[in-house]
Amino acid sequence: MDSSTTKSLSPDSNGPLFLGIDVSTQSTKASLLSSSLELLSELAINFDRDLPQYKTSGGVLTGSAGSGEIHSPALMAVESLDLLAEKILAAGWPTQRVKAVSAAGQQHASVYWSRRAPEMLRSVNGSKRLVDQLGSQAFSRAVIPNWQDSSTTAECKAFEAHVGGPTALAKITGSKAYERFTGPQIMRWRREEPEAYEQTERIGLVSSMVTTLLCAGGEGQDGEEIKGIDESDACGMNLWDLSTPERGWSRPLLELVAGGDAAAADELARKLGAVESDGGRIVGRIGRWWQEKLNFSPDCLVCPATGDNPATLLSLALAPREAMVSLGTSDTLLIPAPSFEPSEAFHVFYHPARVAGSNASESEEGGQGEVVETSSRYFNMLVYKNGSLAREAVRDKYCASSWREFDRAVRSAWPGRDSVPQHTGFYWFKEEIIPPNAKGVHLYTSSKDGQWSRAEEFEAPATHPHSIISSQLLSFKNRVGAILHENAGSDNEGGLVRIHATGGASSNQTLLETMADVLACPVVRPQQQGNACSVGAALKARWAWERATKPGRERVAFDVCVEEARKEGEAAEQGGQKVKLAAEPDEARTDCWRRFLPTWEELERRALRGE
Ligand code: XUL
């Protein structure tokens, strides 16, 4: 669905509606759902195109060569909401019927509210644009780190050393140290700009900033103008301790980041604020700005916004050993997990739709009979920086910017029965996350006797498209194997049983067919297209509304609520969230990739050593 209204907005002209907003790397998007979860309409604001005054490219500003800095202006996200509001008005969305709103934000990116921010947020009204009412005065840091930033290597080392190494840090926070994670980012900024840090009232994430702006100018929020960080999103900070049932900000890590005595750590904990562990709790009602500007009802509820990947996870119901792959600016793989099993090789996040207080059920014996839970309590995630933009760079350089040529090149290089690939490559245009800190382009070709050697260039330029996507997918295969404890030597034993593909590049059939071959399982796409991330946020709003307004449903699980709402939709023949098969593995090619995987793993190690 593109940025225009594509469906009738009134399957039931008085029915409740639910809104999800997604503030991501390159754009802000909104999805409007009916109460039976039909996607009615979507709108989008593209940062580079619609907000050219911020001079971003791909939504970001890049620092000097070698600095690793990738930032974006805090006010750009605010102004994108002004433009979104204008589009909502122009499209005639019936906002007075919206019963609840939730949002999603780029993960890890931090937002720094100034001392004046609470007062400014309190007085926001519909007479002027948000950006004009808040302006730079509301923030103590004008340019905020983007998730692609890799400028905090020294701080990451300090994090790991402070707690006894990468595995120890993963056991506390669910991840080893990553440059883009918020804790190392705050630490660097505090050192570089101690005064601005001192002048900071609160530190949030993009998600909590959007929750805050949704409630701005609302009634009775004294002291609560700035909304708390959502727990799932807090797991992307390297600061949140998941290792105990109580969970909370990790004291040793706060001390490290705050760089001082116990009082400094206390002050950092205060700046970070209380965390929202119940993703469906009502944290406020929609604020005056939205009511006056867009005619939202004062009763419209707001629940915590979460990260863009956790929200994307919510857009689909995944069965055990199913994964979701989101092919966007970053490529991410999301796999629901029943328990907290941290590792250096991937992330563990708290599930974004858990009912508070269900923690007691974490011990197998639980015994808390009436506790209602989502089917998975955590999820695992893999994130690659060189996703769509890397594929596009290869398309532009070797295929005259044509996807048709790119696809043709991929298909003509697919391996045949009993054949072995003769080339592969690693395209780390941006310093990669997996494997950590990998840089540059590394190409390898094989001689007839199976010896692999480094190549400056492939003989045929058309080899690149196949080389990049097969290599990206082999990396997925290798890392998913670690998450699922897959038995790599055998026929996909213990591997994935199905992949749900979403995101812009999931419209590329050749990519999905190659994915089915390499990952050795079918690939499906949601039948109802749309922006999975803002749809996931809108589903969360629907769930929060059900819990807040329907007696006896206060603790209903997210999965149950969504499934029941969809069934109502099906009964009314409005369609539910179904999937359609996009690709099935070809036996011969799958076999070839399975045999090639160990060679590829060795070549990745060589590429990392620069050999
Ligand atoms: C996740 C990550 C990216 C961003 C994209 O860890 O860094 O997927 O969330 O906005």
Side-chain angles (χ1 to χ4, degrees):
M1 200 175 282
D2 71 11
S3 61
S4 59
T5 302
T6 54
K7 283 198 175 191
S8 154
L9 282 175
S10 49
D12 162 3
S13 56
N14 294 314
L17 301 178
F18 300 89
L19 175 62
I21 297 176
D22 153 31
V23 180
S24 293
T25 313
Q26 305 202 47
S27 61
T28 287
K29 295 186 178 136
S31 303
L32 188 66
L33 300 190
S34 71
S35 77
S36 54
L37 311 183
E38 188 189 10
L39 177 59
L40 302 177
S41 185
E42 289 199 326
L43 293 168
I45 303 298
N46 178 281
F47 299 151
D48 295 355
R49 187 193 57 215
D50 301 325
L51 292 160
Q53 63 273 35
Y54 293 100
K55 300 189 169 52
T56 57
S57 169
V60 297
L61 305 169
T62 303
S64 53
S67 70
E69 285 176 357
I70 303 199
H71 289 171
S72 76
L75 281 181
M76 182 172 76
V78 177
E79 194 165 351
S80 74
L81 294 176
D82 285 310
L83 296 195
L84 180 68
E86 283 164 23
K87 276 208 172 177
I88 290 179
L89 269 182
W93 281 13
T95 43
Q96 67 289 352
R97 284 168 49 203
V98 175
K99 298 293 179 200
V101 188
S102 189
Q106 179 196 142
Q107 286 192 276
H108 321 296
S110 36
V111 173
Y112 300 77
W113 296 103
S114 69
R115 298 269 186 225
R116 286 198 55 201
E119 167 206 327
M120 296 177 87
L121 287 162
R122 234 184 344 265
S123 57
V124 158
N125 62 59
S127 67
K128 286 202 249 155
R129 299 188 322 152
L130 279 175
V131 70
D132 297 329
Q133 295 184 70
L134 295 176
S136 50
Q137 301 269 307
F139 298 98
S140 54
R141 184 175 186 180
V143 176
I144 58 177
N146 176 274
W147 66 272
Q148 296 166 86
D149 187 279
S150 56
S151 65
T152 58
T153 310
E155 287 75 14
C156 286
K157 289 203 175 104
F159 263 62
E160 293 177 348
H162 196 65
V163 295
T167 305
L169 185 64
K171 283 187 177 156
I172 300 170
T173 69
S175 296
K176 73 177 188 66
Y178 287 93
E179 275 92 346
R180 69 193 193 287
F181 274 44
T182 322
Q185 290 286 346
I186 299 173
M187 183 172 168
R188 177 169 188 244
W189 186 66
R190 184 195 58 75
R191 275 193 190 148
E192 288 187 346
E193 295 192 42
E195 280 167 28
Y197 173 82
E198 174 57 36
Q199 286 310 311
T200 300
E201 174 63 23
R202 289 283 297 273
I203 301 175
L205 298 176
V206 173
S207 56
S208 61
M209 173 177 77
V210 183
T211 315
T212 301
L213 294 176
L214 283 168
C215 297
E219 294 300 312
Q221 15 174 337
D222 274 358
E224 282 188 19
E225 292 79 9
I226 296 172
K227 300 296 175 189
I229 294 172
D230 159 80
E231 184 162 353
S232 185
D233 217 11
C235 299
M237 301 176 79
N238 273 148
L239 286 177
W240 186 250
D241 183 349
L242 283 163
S243 65
T244 65
E246 299 77 39
R247 310 183 310 281
W249 297 118
S250 155
R251 190 72 198 175
L253 294 169
L254 288 183
E255 281 164 8
L256 173 73
V257 173
D261 50 16
D266 288 345
E267 170 57 8
L268 177 55
R270 192 202 62 75
K271 286 188 199 307
L272 293 167
V275 163
E276 295 292 344
S277 293
D278 187 329
R281 188 177 91 85
I282 303 302
V283 295
R285 285 168 199 271
I286 199 127
R288 202 181 316 143
W289 189 81
W290 301 84
Q291 295 172 32
E292 294 178 0
K293 194 96 182 172
L294 283 173
N295 199 23
F296 274 89
S297 154
D299 294 333
C300 173
L301 304 172
V302 178
C303 70
T306 187
D308 51 5
N309 289 302
T312 300
L313 179 78
L314 294 180
S315 69
L316 291 175
L318 299 183
R321 288 181 42 225
E322 288 194 343
M324 176 172 200
V325 57
S326 165
L327 302 162
T329 312
S330 59
D331 281 349
T332 57
L333 267 116
L334 309 170
I335 306 181
S339 54
F340 182 61
E341 280 188 52
S343 156
E344 264 184 59
F346 49 84
H347 308 296
V348 189
F349 284 79
Y350 186 80
H351 193 280
R354 287 179 65 173
V355 177
S358 50
N359 225 29
S361 67
E362 281 189 8
S363 77
E364 284 308 315
E365 301 81 348
Q368 308 278 318
E370 48 116 11
V371 163
V372 190
E373 256 296 16
T374 49
S375 47
S376 44
R377 295 176 179 146
Y378 300 87
F379 70 94
N380 297 133
M381 184 166 86
L382 299 169
V383 181
Y384 296 83
K385 265 192 212 169
N386 295 287
S388 287
L389 294 180
R391 289 184 287 272
E392 280 167 28
V394 166
R395 176 204 63 183
D396 293 347
K397 186 158 178 197
Y398 301 105
C399 307
S401 303
S402 152
W403 279 124
R404 188 187 293 231
E405 266 191 44
F406 182 97
D407 291 353
R408 200 179 306 132
V410 173
R411 283 175 184 272
S412 62
W414 273 348
R417 180 164 295 279
D418 298 327
S419 69
V420 184
Q422 304 291 306
H423 59 262
T424 195
F426 301 88
Y427 298 76
W428 298 314
F429 296 118
K430 284 194 175 160
E431 189 170 324
E432 193 42 278
I433 298 169
I434 303 172
N437 310 111
K439 287 183 206 157
V441 174
H442 308 261
L443 307 178
Y444 296 89
T445 52
S446 148
S447 61
K448 289 220 166 56
D449 58 3
Q451 293 303 309
W452 284 84
S453 43
R454 225 181 143 84
E456 277 309 308
E457 190 35 290
F458 290 139
E459 255 171 48
T463 307
H464 284 282
H466 183 254
S467 167
I468 184 171
I469 69 167
S470 56
S471 191
Q472 288 176 328
L473 295 167
L474 284 160
S475 181
F476 292 4
K477 176 76 177 162
N478 164 277
R479 271 86 198 186
V480 165
I483 294 177
L484 297 177
H485 310 298
E486 185 179 342
N487 182 349
S490 73
D491 239 2
N492 200 36
E493 188 190 313
L496 288 173
V497 293
R498 193 157 80 148
I499 298 173
H500 297 251
T502 66
S506 67
S507 59
N508 184 319
Q509 181 62 22
T510 304
L511 176 55
L512 300 194
E513 285 179 40
T514 315
M515 184 182 291
D517 292 342
V518 179
L519 278 291
C521 67
V523 179
V524 295
R525 299 183 63 206
Q527 211 156 50
Q528 178 169 272
Q529 288 304 312
N531 179 41
C533 179
S534 42
V535 166
L539 293 177
K540 198 147 88 74
R542 169 71 176 79
W543 172 58
W545 172 75
E546 176 113 358
R547 289 175 56 196
T549 60
K550 305 247 174 94
R553 303 282 281 176
E554 295 80 2
R555 295 172 67 75
V556 66
F558 174 84
D559 307 353
V560 172
C561 172
V562 167
E563 202 186 312
E564 288 176 1
R566 284 203 173 115
K567 280 202 181 122
E568 272 172 40
E570 279 162 29
E573 286 186 294
Q574 289 170 353
Q577 177 58 289
K578 302 209 190 75
V579 293
K580 58 174 185 263
L581 183 65
E584 281 192 287
D586 171 274
E587 212 181 301
R589 290 196 295 266
T590 295
D591 185 53
C592 160
W593 292 122
R594 189 176 52 74
R595 284 184 284 110
F596 181 57
L597 184 62
T599 305
W600 177 90
E601 288 167 349
E602 174 53 25
L603 291 172
E604 187 191 64
R605 286 191 284 273
R606 280 173 59 177
L608 287 171
R609 295 194 298 263
E611 289 169 5

